[in-house]
């Protein structure tokens, strides 16, 4: 029998990266094949020991019934060495590869949002006292994953009252901050940061605090020195309301789970944008400054959401600007 270490040494000594890649992949699959076969045989034996009860076998392995079943199907498919599956319905039509890739990126974004929602959902279930085995069965997440995400100490639970006024106050405060930034902006970086706050204000209001979108009493003539100023304020208000009405994008999937779930996912999305790294290093100084301002804006928004969910209160700095 060939020594695996000798085989590995020859693969690593291959100088052509294409040949080395394919050789390494083939060697890894060949080396793993006996273990995959042993795992499949053990899986079948365990199910047989439980009299065909897949759920019971899955519990012994720390898996869900679905994961154990699907894992067996995947292993069988990988081991068959054949290609070609039965197509049940026509594939989607795309006019170009670019259009297809755009759709794939949209799908990946949606999957990321689902992932963003999952950890806080699982931790919430653990904090509520749900049995980890039940959580695993209901969610399809392995017990190992539950153990991985569980903190060493107590689980911190959101203190946000979804039926209290704080969410609407928060949305209005973010909108006031966005308006203040737009008014004060003079540089490209400041305008970009203001745009991020403005977009965030609209999305938070639409998905978590629709009451914040309700109009107030509107401009009053007695509050303005001249009739022209009053007319300008009315026109500006009308333009703003039309801008809100034109935003017909569907609500975020997280919004259906409630404001707190939406804000939890939004926090992670904003934090990700704030920590992407030096995306602007190869651009002009002005573009680099704008990129840094955008990342800073996302960081400030993430911090504000974290404060709201952790304390149940609107950050004082935002309340000061909104007043």
């Amino acid at each position: 029998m060939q020594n695996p270490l000798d085989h590995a040494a020859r693969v690593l000594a291959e100088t052509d990266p294409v040949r080395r890649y394919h050789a390494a992949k083939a060697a890894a699959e060949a080396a793993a094949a006996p273990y995959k076969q042993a795992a499949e045989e053990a899986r079948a034996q365990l199910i047989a020991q439980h009299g065909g009860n897949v759920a019971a076998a899955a519990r012994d392995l720390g898996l869900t019934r679905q994961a154990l079943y699907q894992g067996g199907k995947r292993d069988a498919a990988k081991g068959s060495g054949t290609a070609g599956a039965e197509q049940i319905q026509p594939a989607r039509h795309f006019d170009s590869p670019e259009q297809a890739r755009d759709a794939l990126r949209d799908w990946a974004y949606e999957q990321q949002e689902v992932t963003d929602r999952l950890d806080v959902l699982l931790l919430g279930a653990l904090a509520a006292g749900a049995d980890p085995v039940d959580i695993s069965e209901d969610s399809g997440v392995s017990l190992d994953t539950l153990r991985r995400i569980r903190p060493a100490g107590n689980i911190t639970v959101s203190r946000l009252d979804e039926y209290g006024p704080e969410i609407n106050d928060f949305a209005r405060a973010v909108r006031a901050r966005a308006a203040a930034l737009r008014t004060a902006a003079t540089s490209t970086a400041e305008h970009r940061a203001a745009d991020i706050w403005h977009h965030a204000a609209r999305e938070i209001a639409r998905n978590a605090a629709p009451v914040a979108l309700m109009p107030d009493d509107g401009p009053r003539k007695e509050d303005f020195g001249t009739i022209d100023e009053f007319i300008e304020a009315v026109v500006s208000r009308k333009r703003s309301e039309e801008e809100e009405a034109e935003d017909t994008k569907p609500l975020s999937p997280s919004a259906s789970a409630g404001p707190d779930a939406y804000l939890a996912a939004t926090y992670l999305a904003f934090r990700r944008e704030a920590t992407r790294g030096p995306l602007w290093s190869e651009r002009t100084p002005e573009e680099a400054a704008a990129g840094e301002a955008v990342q800073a804006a996302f960081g400030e928004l993430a911090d504000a959401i974290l404060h709201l969910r952790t304390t149940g209160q609107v950050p004082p700095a935002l309340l000061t600007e909104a007043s």
Side-chain angles (χ1 to χ4, degrees), residues 36 50 78 104 146 178 192 204 209 221 250 259 270-271 293 306:
K36 288 183 178 179
H50 283 285
K78 289 178 181 178
L104 289 170
L146 290 176
R192 291 287 298 277
I204 290 170
K221 186 167 64 174
F270 286 174
R271 182 59 66 198
L306 182 61

Side-chain angles (χ1 to χ4, degrees), residues 295-306:
Q295 290 182 313
F298 276 120
E300 292 168 358
L301 284 159
D303 290 342
I305 291 173
L306 182 61

Side-chain angles (χ1 to χ4, degrees), residues 1-2 4 27-43 75:
M1 181 177 179
Q2 188 179 37
E29 291 176 2
Y35 301 106
K36 288 183 178 179
Q37 180 62 32
E40 175 57 24
E41 291 173 356
R43 186 186 79 91
D75 290 342

Side-chain angles (χ1 to χ4, degrees), residues 133-242:
V133 173
D134 292 336
I135 296 173
S136 180
E137 285 287 339
D138 293 340
S139 66
V141 173
S142 71
L143 291 172
D144 282 341
T145 298
L146 290 176
R147 285 189 286 269
R148 176 183 58 79
I149 68 171
R150 184 164 197 161
N154 294 330
I155 297 173
T156 301
V157 178
S158 173
R159 298 181 61 184
L160 183 60
D161 180 3
E162 294 189 330
Y163 301 99
E166 289 79 16
I167 295 181
N168 289 310
D169 291 344
F170 179 76
R172 292 189 180 99
V174 172
R175 185 168 60 182
R177 167 72 168 159
L181 289 174
R182 279 192 161 181
T183 300
T186 56
S187 65
T188 299
E190 290 170 344
H191 281 291
R192 291 287 298 277
D195 287 344
I196 296 301
W197 276 85
H198 177 71
H199 178 74
R202 295 176 66 187
E203 291 302 300
I204 290 170
R206 291 179 62 252
N207 288 282
V211 172
L213 289 175
M214 294 176 63
D216 53 24
D217 295 332
R220 298 180 301 174
K221 186 167 64 174
E222 57 267 31
D223 293 335
F224 297 87
T226 67
I227 188 65
D228 289 340
E229 291 176 347
F230 171 66
I231 292 174
E232 183 180 353
V234 171
V235 171
S236 177
R237 171 61 179 271
K238 181 65 176 176
R239 188 181 299 116
S240 177
E241 290 176 354
E242 289 174 350

Side-chain angles (χ1 to χ4, degrees), residues 79-135:
S80 66
T82 60
E86 179 184 0
Q87 184 172 353
I88 299 175
Q89 63 172 320
R92 285 183 57 182
H93 169 77
F94 296 107
D95 293 330
S96 66
E98 291 73 20
Q99 187 183 47
R101 292 196 65 193
D102 285 342
L104 289 170
R105 282 188 284 266
D106 288 342
W107 178 86
Y109 180 84
E110 292 170 0
Q111 295 305 304
Q112 183 62 62
E113 185 171 26
V114 171
T115 301
D116 286 346
R117 293 165 52 196
L118 182 58
D119 280 6
V120 290
L121 176 61
L122 296 173
L123 288 174
L126 289 169
D131 188 287
V133 173
D134 292 336
I135 296 173

